[in-house]
Amino acid sequence: MTTEGADIRGDVLESILSHVPLIHILPASHVSKSWNHAVFSSLRYFNRPKPWLFLHCQNSRPPYASSSSVAYDPRSSHWLRIHNKNPSLQYTLAIRSSSNSSLLYMLSPSKFSFSFDPFHLRWHHVDPPLVWRTDPVVAMVGRHVIVAGGACDFEDDPLSVEIYDLDARRWDACDAMPAILKDSAASAWLSAAASSKSLYIMEQVSGVTYSFDPTSRIWSGPLDLRHDENIFFSVIGIFGDNLVLVGLLGNSENVKDVKVWEVKGKSFEILEEIAIMPKELVEKLKGEDASLNSIKISSTGDFLYIYNPREPEELVMCEIGGEGIFRWGSLKNPAVSDRSRVAEKMVLTCADVGLGDLGKAAESGKVRFSICE
């Protein structure tokens, strides 16, 4: 190629780079100063980075081992396979996630391990909570990791709450969860969402909701988010900067709609319907089963992913576009496309990923990426 032919500059180069997957833009940013400027200009003005969805698969029975991870980059509409070349942690326990963050964690009677960077390059290993738990709600609010409920039967208080302070590096016990949640104080029955300041917990069937401030250590509520009598199952999440409710309407044998409401007001007394899932995507969500008993979600920023835990082959995506326009779509799940992998458990995380995050991952030597075919 001649020098003249290779001299691509300005808007032309930035436009070309806007079509290049983020994992391939990273090397381009090191070509020259002009290319570096073009890369960051393209990411700012042509095609901005968007939050990634991560699927983490693991054997569902002991001995646990990390099987694979894939990620979806909505900026380029590509699924990426993440190859862990030098794991910082051996997955000897069941890995779990928090619904609207990048938090992954493992809990045993002897250790609590957690990681919250996008590619989980660094894991924190600390003493376990004082109360032994099998199925707690775990969420990260600011610099606090909150562990609530899910206690074993032999523990005195199934509603106990403990907070790990990342700066002080210690556990603190706080006021227990509200007594009304005694029969449902486990992540199997509760939906949780964490903002930058508060943790929200809702019973999936009743819609009874409480909030918890880890700074003041105060629980607030109850709030009744089940404002529509046609809702038979619901979950909560953080979508954009707001608390949202995603509900199934009708009954499990005949799901009429899947709707999204934004929760507003000082006391969260206002629910505004902001989106309704297209009928064809509701059918995809059901999968091969005609019924739909429950859903799970993962969200961050302007992206919300909804899936059926019993039929996870199809993921439904909702994006808040400009001027409040909602864009719906569906994704084939590459982690479960092979029916021979039914013995694997899947957990989801969402995270903002930029060139800096990819640079750290590349420099660590622990991961490499390839585009799924």
Side-chain angles (χ1 to χ4, degrees):
M1 182 181 289
T2 65
T3 303
E4 182 179 357
D7 191 16
I8 304 173
R9 297 175 182 267
D11 290 349
V12 174
L13 177 57
E14 292 172 17
S15 178
I16 292 172
L17 290 171
S18 71
H19 300 283
V20 177
L22 205 60
I23 58 170
H24 297 322
I25 286 184
L26 181 63
S29 67
H30 299 297
V31 171
S32 66
K33 286 185 178 180
S34 62
W35 274 61
N36 181 273
H37 178 272
V39 164
F40 284 94
S41 181
S42 176
L43 291 175
R44 183 174 182 181
Y45 297 109
F46 283 82
N47 193 358
R48 293 175 176 241
K50 297 179 179 179
W52 287 21
L53 172 70
F54 295 83
L55 311 182
H56 311 274
C57 296
Q58 183 186 41
N59 294 336
S60 59
R61 298 173 183 173
Y64 301 106
S66 178
S67 299
S68 62
S69 295
V70 294
Y72 180 71
D73 174 12
R75 176 188 173 274
S76 62
S77 300
H78 280 119
W79 281 101
L80 308 169
R81 195 163 298 282
I82 302 174
H83 305 272
N84 200 333
K85 295 160 61 178
N86 182 26
S88 60
L89 183 72
Q90 294 298 317
Y91 297 100
T92 55
L93 300 167
I95 195 166
R96 304 178 187 183
S97 66
S98 189
S99 65
N100 64 297
S101 73
S102 58
L103 178 65
L104 286 178
Y105 65 94
M106 292 181 289
L107 180 61
S108 77
S110 61
K111 183 169 61 176
F112 178 58
S113 301
F114 61 96
S115 174
F116 50 86
D117 63 89
F119 297 109
H120 303 102
L121 303 175
R122 181 187 178 191
W123 282 81
H124 303 258
H125 308 287
V126 302
D127 291 335
L130 295 176
V131 174
W132 171 228
R133 309 162 191 270
T134 56
D135 188 25
V137 169
V138 179
M140 191 166 181
V141 178
R143 298 285 293 173
H144 300 96
V145 179
I146 303 169
V147 180
C152 290
D153 293 339
F154 56 78
E155 293 287 355
D156 293 333
D157 187 1
L159 299 168
S160 65
V161 178
E162 295 173 75
I163 295 179
Y164 184 79
D165 187 316
L166 271 77
D167 297 318
R169 299 185 180 181
R170 69 166 186 261
W171 287 100
D172 290 319
C174 6
D175 288 348
M177 300 168 71
I180 195 174
L181 299 176
K182 183 176 181 180
D183 294 329
S184 58
S187 66
W189 309 110
L190 297 172
S191 178
S195 69
S196 59
K197 295 181 179 180
S198 299
L199 168 66
Y200 304 95
I201 291 179
M202 181 191 71
E203 276 191 337
Q204 296 172 342
V205 176
S206 72
V208 172
T209 304
Y210 288 87
S211 64
F212 178 72
D213 183 336
T215 302
S216 66
R217 312 292 172 91
I218 294 175
W219 286 92
S220 300
L223 310 167
D224 185 7
L225 299 188
R226 190 63 61 80
H227 68 292
D228 189 328
E229 62 182 14
N230 292 313
I231 301 174
F232 70 91
F233 184 89
S234 56
V235 291
I236 52 175
I238 303 296
F239 193 16
D241 296 321
N242 305 304
L243 180 68
V244 294
L245 175 79
V246 183
L248 303 181
L249 285 78
N251 58 65
S252 61
E253 300 300 323
N254 181 24
V255 177
K256 295 180 179 179
D257 283 308
V258 179
K259 293 184 177 182
V260 183
W261 292 268
E262 182 180 332
V263 185
K264 294 182 173 182
K266 258 188 177 180
S267 302
F268 296 135
E269 71 277 8
I270 302 171
L271 275 83
E272 178 185 342
E273 183 182 316
I274 58 174
I276 181 169
M277 186 183 294
K279 297 290 186 183
E280 63 272 18
L281 296 183
V282 176
E283 294 304 313
K284 287 188 175 184
L285 200 60
K286 292 178 182 177
E288 296 179 359
D289 195 341
S291 63
L292 181 60
N293 298 307
S294 65
I295 55 173
K296 289 188 176 183
I297 64 172
S298 189
S299 63
T300 195
D302 294 337
F303 282 81
L304 171 68
Y305 297 91
I306 306 170
Y307 69 103
N308 177 357
R310 294 176 58 186
E311 297 278 348
E313 285 82 359
E314 200 85 26
L315 300 162
V316 174
M317 177 181 70
C318 183
E319 177 188 5
I320 302 177
E323 300 180 354
I325 297 173
F326 289 81
R327 290 192 283 266
W328 290 90
S330 65
L331 306 170
K332 284 288 185 184
N333 185 345
V336 295
S337 58
D338 185 350
R339 286 290 185 174
S340 66
R341 298 173 65 181
V342 294
E344 290 188 341
K345 172 187 175 183
M346 181 183 75
V347 297
L348 279 65
T349 57
C350 275
D352 290 314
V353 175
L355 282 188
D357 300 300
L358 287 171
K360 288 179 183 178
E363 290 171 7
S364 73
K366 295 177 181 178
V367 297
R368 65 180 180 85
F369 307 93
S370 62
I371 295 178
C372 295
E373 298 296 333

